[in-house]
Each structure stands twice: as C-alpha cells, then as structure tokens.
Amino acid sequence: MNSLVVASIVFVCVSGSGMLGLALRTFLPDHHLSEDSTAIVKLGAGLMATLAALVLGLLIASSKVTFDRLNDEFTQTAATVFVIDRTLADYGPEAKEAREFLRSTYASAVERFYSEGGAGKADVDAPETLAHMVQFQQKLRELAPRNDMQRMLQSEALARSHDLAEARWILFRPGEGAIPTPFLAVLVLWLGILFAGFGLVSINYRTAFATLFVCALSVAGAIFLIEDIAHPLEGLMQISRTPAQIALSHLGQ
C-alpha cells in the first residue's frame, strides 16, 4: 500500500479517536471526570505514550538500517560490475564479447530498476533477467585460458559474477511494507486509545483540538517516514543511482 495512504489512514484513525474523547467528555457524569479519575487516565495515557514512542523509534531505526543496507548493496553491486569489467579487460581481447554483454545487461537492469519510480523492479526480477545472468556466466566459462594468468582472471570473474547473483536476490526480492499489517493495526489501536484519553481529560476544547490535530499529524508523519524508507525505489527517499552511472561510464574502456 502507498506510504501516503497508510499515513492518511493512521491520521484519520488517531485524530478521530481524539475527537471522540473530546465528545465523550461532554456526555460523562461529573463523578467520572473527578480529579482521581483523570489522574488514572493520565497515568494510563503516559504508559501507552511511552510504549508507542519506543515502538515508533525502533521502527524508524530499523527502517533506516534496512535502507542503508540496500543502498550499500547497490553501491557494492556497481563496484563489483566495474571490477569484473576490469578483470575481463586484463584477460585480453578474447573477453570483449563478455564485456559488451555485461555492460548492456547492467545498463538495461539499472534503467528498468529505476523506471517509473521503481515500477520496473518486477521486470528486473523476471525469469528472462535471471537468464541474462546465466548467459553471462556461461560466456565466462566458454573463455579458453592460454596461461595461468588468464585462468586466474577467469576464476576471479566467475567468483564475482556469483556475488552479483547473490546481490540480485537481496535487491530484487518482493517488496514488503516496513510494518506488518497486524502490527500496524495494534499500533494504531494503542494510539487511538491514547488520543481518546487525551481528549477525555482535556478542558479547553479549541486548544485541545489544535493540540490533538498537531500530534496526530506528527504520528502520521512518523508512519509515513517508516513506510517510505521501506520502499527505497518508490518514495521520496530513494537509493541513489550515481554509483551505477559512474560504473557504466567506465565499463568497456
């Protein structure tokens, strides 16, 4: 689901709970709003606020770690492609066909990887794309080394091609949201109860309304940030394509 849609749903649920608490206050008998009763509500709200803050903080940190890992993996993939190309260049003119195939395949993969904000990811993960990797490795195996140096270079290129295949499964695995749906539902339930409690103990309606609105917007913003980071090809914060562009500019030279 789109990050903005998820954040909007959270905002509506949380702010609606706060408004419900404000409305409920006007219908409750006075003894339910005594000082002792509101003190208990405040204690419970404080506990739930602490839990929600810890969970949101951990989710943001976890999403950032995942984003950085994928970004590093993409950069490492570009470096691996460059090293394979240089290895084949050292091998000699016999590896020219393999180098050209590597460049065209990598350029096509990068283009589809970023096409339409990540929509091309499915194409990159298609069986025919995997076949390109198999074809490239086959071209490496078909090289006929004439000396120990070429045999060493062939083995090194093959080993690094396996690293590329491994990186493919990391980068192109099916996309998932940062927060599993059941977990998100429980988190929104916590926040809804928390905001309802805030509304219940509020006195000044206008001030409470403005405060609840701003707080709900902040919570929704945190959820948006978590979900957006979890989709590094589709959201506002995306993996940089600069390493791939630099690698492509040096391939075949």
Side-chain angles (χ1 to χ4, degrees):
M1 189 181 296
N2 185 277
S3 303
L4 186 59
V5 174
V6 174
S8 299
I9 293 174
V10 171
F11 174 76
V12 170
C13 293
V14 173
S15 59
S17 298
M19 298 305 105
L20 180 62
L22 286 173
L24 186 61
R25 178 183 177 85
T26 61
F27 294 101
L28 287 177
D30 291 339
H31 65 274
H32 285 290
L33 300 174
S34 64
E35 185 176 345
D36 291 338
S37 297
T38 55
I40 293 297
V41 173
K42 290 178 181 179
L43 286 174
L47 174 62
M48 298 196 72
T50 302
L51 289 174
L54 286 173
V55 170
L56 287 173
L58 289 173
L59 286 173
I60 291 175
S62 177
S63 297
K64 184 61 168 62
V65 169
T66 301
F67 180 88
D68 290 340
R69 180 177 59 82
L70 289 175
N71 189 60
D72 292 343
E73 191 68 35
F74 191 76
T75 302
Q76 182 60 45
T77 298
T80 301
V81 170
F82 172 75
V83 171
I84 292 176
D85 181 74
R86 298 317 307 163
T87 301
L88 294 177
D90 293 338
Y91 184 94
E94 301 93 331
K96 181 180 179 180
E97 182 181 352
R99 294 182 67 194
E100 292 176 349
F101 186 84
L102 174 64
R103 190 185 193 288
S104 63
T105 301
Y106 183 62
S108 177
V110 170
E111 184 63 29
R112 284 182 290 177
F113 192 69
Y114 282 97
S115 64
E116 299 180 5
K121 183 177 178 180
D123 293 333
V124 179
D125 198 29
E128 54 268 25
T129 306
L130 176 60
H132 290 161
M133 175 61 69
V134 174
Q135 291 175 25
F136 175 67
Q137 291 179 333
Q138 184 61 33
K139 289 182 180 296
L140 295 180
R141 294 188 182 97
E142 289 174 354
L143 293 174
R146 292 175 297 180
N147 51 55
D148 291 340
M149 177 62 70
Q150 286 188 335
R151 275 189 287 273
M152 183 189 69
L153 293 172
Q154 181 190 34
S155 298
E156 182 179 347
L158 275 170
R160 292 191 178 275
S161 71
H162 292 309
D163 293 339
L164 282 180
E166 180 180 350
R168 171 185 175 274
W169 291 109
I170 296 176
L171 291 171
F172 305 145
R173 70 187 188 279
E176 298 178 355
I179 311 178
T181 302
F183 190 94
L184 180 61
V186 173
L187 179 59
V188 172
L189 178 63
W190 286 359
L191 293 170
I193 296 174
L194 175 63
F195 273 66
F198 287 159
L200 193 61
V201 298
S202 300
I203 298 177
N204 189 310
Y205 184 83
R206 292 183 179 178
T207 302
F209 179 84
T211 302
L212 291 174
F213 178 84
V214 172
C215 291
L217 192 62
S218 300
V219 170
I223 297 296
F224 173 79
L225 181 64
I226 294 168
E227 288 289 334
D228 193 69
I229 293 178
H231 301 88
L233 297 176
E234 305 169 13
L236 296 177
M237 291 165 284
Q238 298 186 7
I239 293 176
S240 173
R241 68 170 68 191
T242 301
Q245 292 174 334
I246 294 175
L248 284 170
S249 67
H250 290 85
L251 295 184
Q253 295 183 2

